[in-house]
Amino acid sequence: MTPSRWLRTMPMVAVVVAALAAAAGGGCGDDPDPRPPSDNTGGTGGSGDGGTGGGEGGTGGTGGTGGAQPCEVDDDCQEFERCEDGTCVPKCRRDRDCGLNKGLRCDETTGRCVEGMPCDIDANCGEGYCNWRLRDCYCQEDQSMQQGDPPRHGVCWRKAKLCDLCELDTECGEDSRCVPYNYAGETMNVCLRKYTGSCPQGTIAYQGDDPDLIGLCVPQYEDCADFRPCSTDDDCDQLNPVCDKRRGICVPGCYFDFQGNKSQGCPPAKVCHMTADSVNPQLIGSCELGRRWGHGKCGNPCESDDECKAYGDGFVCAVYGSERRCVPAAAARREDTHGVRGCMSDEECEIGGQDTVYVGYCDLTKFECVEEGCRLGLDWRTGCNEPFEDCISTYKCAVDPDTGDPVTGICVEKDCIDLGGALRGGCLDGWFCNGERFVDPFTGEELDRQVQAPAGSGTQYGECFRMDASQWCISCGSSADCADMNVTGSDNPSVCVDVTGMGDTWCAPGCDYVQDCPAGWICDNIGEARCFNDPAQPAFKTCTDDGDCMSGPCVNPLTFGIRYQPQPNDAYPFKVCACDPSAADPCGSPEFVCNAGIATVVDGEVQEHYCTKKNTLCGPGGSCEFFGDVLVDEFGRRTPTFSCANDGGVLPGVSASCPAGFQPGGDPQRLHKCWLSRVCVPRLVREGDNLTCGPVEPSN
């Protein structure tokens, strides 16, 4: 397997060269791959018959190399083989290659298996090929040694090094583990060191979610077959061009803060010099490599242009704040008769003000400031995740219709869709955004449906349009006055609501999506179904200890995994009887039933059930639950409140429905409660001293 997370980022070169270099792999240095090829590679037969081995011979020919190669001396074999008993066999590369219970270890010089040193404990392994000061050997249990005279426990084997292949943790030594990891694109067991506040050279702390690797140090470029800590900058690639010799890893290098006018990422008294690589034109426009732009190398402040030749041809020594840095000559800060300013960052070119919609930016192909115009597309310096910010906040970059230039455009005013839609500030209260996409309230995904302006209105895509106040603003005395209101097309009933709590009653039309409502109006669930008309009336069977309960313990109830924490100002001790719904009489009283436990769900699983009063307003198919809501009276006392719940159609094995006239909530946060409806709640606007219903009119 070759998962993409194992692929090391390659240096940036021409496409053809990159393709050819891919076969060489990444990493620091250029050592050959020590692994022998497959033992079963067949050849192509000759023209005769009688060929043997991997290939099939024709008449008089010979087969391929799949069979054993005869030999007399090692030179008759390939580089990774040795001659043993007249046959070429693979050289050993580690002690375990010599096999278990043979008393042998690998002579790494010859690749031959030779007699190993006997031992009883690890401390016996301290001479010859083992070094007691380094503790680089361990005592491997060996039956042939146990049958010797005198009998010994095992043979001294060398501990595997970091990234070496292994089979057991004991091979890797203390503070290391033998775990599955990438080895040349295959998953193989290798030795990795545990992270103990720092990592060995060439490795970094693992940051992923693989449970086998959490808490371990892994190679920077995620391949143990090509693990070599860097020792010079030449060992590093374009994205991480500087070798941190202390840690043996490649790092991004330093950069210059053009706002603070100071080098960042350098030791004291050092400055960040640009290099030919850090301003390579091939970085421009690259979503993958663009982050490398402007990252240089630390060095002593320059005194003359001659010193800067080491960083790049034609580089000069220029003053930046209190620092003297090497930069390309064209990028050096200057003022000439044409008003052209050298630059390497947009901050050096900012001109934004009240008299222009342009911010100004640095054209990095020329190292020149551009004061009028903007860059189209996504900013490659940050991974192509966001557009360039060359216009003031209420404007965006668009293609200039006069030139059609696909690279440089003009700043035009953002429309309501660019500003996030009607409900996110794109339109005035009481207005809609034409073309705004509807969003699924449960998934957050945009739907293939748009807000549409009335036919014939002349409203363009991305323009705001007023709601029709004659259809939307209907005063009411009761919900019956709103029964015929259907401005959204929703099946949710329209209801009469007191918008201010002071008798300002208006019809609230039913809604399914926030885009059903004009700006300022909120699509929300209203009319929560309570277990009792008095929301403070206790619904659960309370208790003081387990003896008060029948089929479950006495507990503080759970709400979606969080247990209720008693407070000094609780109106009464809120400990309740948990119950087992499968028990014959789970609550020990006909006045109580074991509820569905919907409010205790975590990851789709009910955690607990509670004894609840039987005759509630939730009905025979409902479930009375505690969702964590409390009422606080005028004296500050807290009283739990209880609500009717439903399964929402998403809880396997749980069945609970809303009482007649109520429905599940229309979004994930309110789904399991029961509501009278989901409606667009009106937002009143001020006209003089009065509040009324209608769209806000533009000030101009």
Side-chain angles (χ1 to χ4, degrees), residues 28-29 200-203 226-232 235 243 247-249:
C28 305
Q201 278 210 333
T203 63
D226 192 36
F227 169 64
R228 286 183 287 277
C230 68
S231 57
T232 70
D235 295 331
C243 179
R247 295 187 295 162
I249 64 173

Side-chain angles (χ1 to χ4, degrees), residues 273-296:
H273 298 290
M274 293 297 95
T275 67
D277 285 339
S278 65
V279 293
N280 189 328
Q282 293 185 26
L283 296 173
I284 297 176
S286 172
C287 298
E288 180 184 6
L289 302 174
R291 296 178 187 273
R292 171 70 186 90
W293 178 271
H295 285 258

Side-chain angles (χ1 to χ4, degrees), residues 376-401:
L376 294 163
L378 300 176
D379 191 343
W380 47 267
R381 298 165 301 180
T382 57
C384 296
N385 295 315
E386 298 290 339
F388 291 100
E389 297 181 352
D390 300 336
C391 306
I392 61 175
S393 61
T394 55
Y395 280 68
K396 65 179 180 181
C397 192
V399 175
D400 186 342

Side-chain angles (χ1 to χ4, degrees), residues 336-357:
D336 61 21
T337 57
H338 303 289
V340 178
R341 301 198 304 272
C343 61
M344 281 184 292
S345 78
D346 295 342
E347 289 87 349
E348 296 177 279
C349 303
E350 290 181 352
I351 59 169
Q354 296 182 354
D355 58 340
T356 178
V357 298

Side-chain angles (χ1 to χ4, degrees), residues 170-193:
T170 53
E171 298 177 60
C172 302
E174 296 179 2
D175 296 326
S176 296
R177 289 180 55 205
C178 181
V179 295
Y181 194 69
N182 177 47
Y183 197 95
E186 299 179 17
T187 299
M188 305 180 73
N189 287 341
V190 298
C191 289
L192 294 178
R193 187 75 58 83

